Structure formats: C-alpha cells, structure tokens
C-alpha cells in the first residue's frame, strides 16, 4: 500500500503541483522594465513587476520610493513579495 502512495507523490511532484519552483525577480527605482528583472538588472515599476510574476515566484523590492499609477493585482497564486535584505524598507506612495 505504501508503494502506490509514494508513486503518486512522485508524479505530483514531477508535474510541479507539489513543489512549485519559481523564479527570483527584483524591482528597484533605478531599474528598467525592459530588462530581465534580475538582481543585476531589476525592473523599475511595481506594476510591471507584479504583472510578470508566475506561480511560485519571489519579488525582491529594493529600497526606494515607488509611486504606482494603478492598482496592483497579483494574478498568480503562491507568490512572495519581500524587501531586500540589508536595505531600508521600500516606500510605496500611492
């Protein structure tokens, strides 16, 4: 009985439903939305960054002031938004 359960868990994991392996993205007021959104070339706006997130992704928000011009809606489930370690907290003004 244990073997079928183990086989089922392996199939689920391989299909990506058990362990969603997301990407790490970055946003900074000094970035560019045309860039790749990584640590060395972050995106610039929260609107673009949040819209680009997929399930399991993490968005690191670097220090600075962000002035969103639209409501921020995260369309994908299970995403993480976090401040950058060792930096002042970002300010979202709007």
């Amino acid at each position: 009985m244990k073997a079928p359960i183990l086989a089922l868990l392996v199939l689920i994991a391989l299909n990506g439903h058990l362990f969603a392996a997301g990407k790490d993205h970055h946003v900074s007021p000094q970035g560019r939305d045309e860039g790749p959104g990584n640590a060395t070339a972050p995106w610039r706006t929260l609107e673009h960054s949040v819209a680009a997130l997929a399930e399991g992704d993490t968005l690191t928000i670097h220090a600075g002031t962000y002035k969103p011009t639209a409501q921020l809606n995260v369309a994908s489930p299970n995403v993480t938004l976090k401040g950058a370690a060792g930096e002042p907290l970002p300010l979202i003004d709007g």
Side-chain angles (χ1 to χ4, degrees):
M1 180 170 279
K2 290 182 182 181
I5 293 172
L6 180 60
L8 178 61
L9 289 175
V10 169
L11 285 175
I12 292 171
L14 290 176
N15 197 26
H17 293 289
L18 187 58
F19 304 106
K23 296 180 181 178
D24 292 321
H25 303 285
H26 294 258
V27 61
S28 168
Q30 290 76 40
R32 290 179 350 120
D33 284 344
E34 296 79 20
N38 58 29
T40 57
W43 291 317
R44 180 176 179 84
T45 65
L46 287 175
E47 295 93 334
H48 176 81
S49 303
V50 169
L53 296 176
E55 183 173 0
D57 285 357
T58 297
L59 177 63
T60 299
I61 306 172
H62 290 273
T65 301
Y66 299 86
K67 297 184 179 198
T69 58
Q71 182 175 349
L72 301 174
N73 293 312
V74 179
S76 297
N78 303 319
V79 298
T80 301
L81 305 178
K82 67 178 186 175
E87 296 183 13
L89 290 176
L91 174 65
I92 299 173
D93 181 14

